[in-house]
Amino acid sequence: MSRTPLVLGNWKLNLTRAGARTWCASFRALAEAEPLPRGVAIGVAPTFTSLDAAREGCAGLPVLLGAQNLHWEPSGAFTGEISAEMLREAGVTHAIVGHSERRHVFGESDERIGRKVAAAREAGLVPILCVGETEDEREAGRTEEVIEAQLRRGLARTAPRSGAELVLAYEPVWAIGTGKVALPGQVEEAHGFLRSVLAAATAPGLASEVRILYGGSVNAGNAAGLIRLPEVDGFLVGGASLDPAGFRRILEAAAAG
Ligand code: 13P
């Protein structure tokens, strides 16, 4: 099963509207100087207030628009939240759900994450469900138990029918923003395990179609080695996605892998 890699820049709490426009202008200039690599799907996930700036700034370029979070209800008294339909209206096609910063900084539970995955799908967005163990959990030999529970609970309220309706991201918490990228063997083992859980938990044939991205200190220097792993179908890139030239080099590595 060949899966087209997806590389999504998660801008986190970075880049104002002006910053998003500058990023897009630089990325466009690079694409005009040399065509973007083929065979890789490209996306960015700006802050909510920069979504339209990124959409307009990257208009005409093959750049998907992602959201970093969403609320599970379509409307109502939920101050500070944003719905899947509102995101869809803003041009968003993909939504990161259950990112480790949402889980650990904002205390999001698997139950809430499951609701968000379902809400994204109901609105026609592709959820990018993130799972990953902490350093303590890995050292205690609990990695598989933790990521299996996160995956099963994340999918508890939804039943994707095709591989195009779901993306998974394995992001070990200890590798995010630390410069400590997971070893190839650790990544391949975790991705293979997630695919086996997916095979048991979803419709027949679906597991081999779903893309499993790796995230955690991916950069232009390590992307080529990671994409060669058979179970790695692209990347969620934090810090290194903020520099258009560095992001572009990661895309090239992903396309060549
Ligand atoms: P870094 O690439 O900065 O480690 O962040 C990874 C991440 O959290 C992407 O979602």
Side-chain angles (χ1 to χ4, degrees), residues 92-174:
V92 164
T93 55
H94 291 64
I96 299 172
V97 182
H99 189 277
S100 91
E101 286 142 24
R102 300 298 320 167
R103 293 176 187 269
H104 297 288
V105 183
F106 300 100
E108 265 183 28
S109 65
D110 281 321
E111 203 268 334
R112 290 183 169 204
I113 290 163
R115 287 179 188 269
K116 291 182 178 197
V117 169
R121 287 218 46 244
E122 276 158 32
L125 304 182
V126 179
I128 302 176
L129 171 61
C130 301
V131 302
E133 80 288 359
T134 63
E135 191 153 37
D136 285 352
E137 287 163 346
R138 174 163 282 274
E139 281 170 6
R142 296 184 52 227
T143 298
E144 292 194 348
E145 170 201 333
V146 168
I147 63 178
E148 175 168 5
Q150 290 173 338
L151 175 53
R152 285 186 181 273
R153 292 181 192 145
L155 296 181
R157 293 170 182 269
T158 192
R161 288 155 311 190
S162 86
E165 295 179 352
L166 175 71
V167 176
L168 288 188
Y170 172 61
E171 298 205 302
V173 179
W174 47 273

Side-chain angles (χ1 to χ4, degrees), residues 128-250:
I128 302 176
L129 171 61
C130 301
V131 302
E133 80 288 359
T134 63
E135 191 153 37
D136 285 352
E137 287 163 346
R138 174 163 282 274
E139 281 170 6
R142 296 184 52 227
T143 298
E144 292 194 348
E145 170 201 333
V146 168
I147 63 178
E148 175 168 5
Q150 290 173 338
L151 175 53
R152 285 186 181 273
R153 292 181 192 145
L155 296 181
R157 293 170 182 269
T158 192
R161 288 155 311 190
S162 86
E165 295 179 352
L166 175 71
V167 176
L168 288 188
Y170 172 61
E171 298 205 302
V173 179
W174 47 273
I176 296 178
T178 58
K180 225 164 52 172
V181 66
L183 297 171
Q186 294 172 323
V187 175
E188 190 65 0
E189 192 174 29
H191 283 220
F193 174 72
L194 288 170
R195 205 175 294 286
S196 72
V197 174
L198 209 49
T202 57
L206 188 104
S208 65
E209 296 175 6
V210 171
R211 287 183 281 201
I212 306 183
L213 315 184
Y214 169 77
S217 298
V218 173
N219 59 39
N222 58 30
L226 289 162
I227 200 71
R228 272 187 226 113
L229 299 170
E231 292 291 352
V232 172
D233 306 316
F235 304 116
L236 261 191
V237 188
S241 72
L242 299 175
D243 165 33
F247 185 62
R248 159 91 195 218
R249 286 199 295 279
I250 297 171

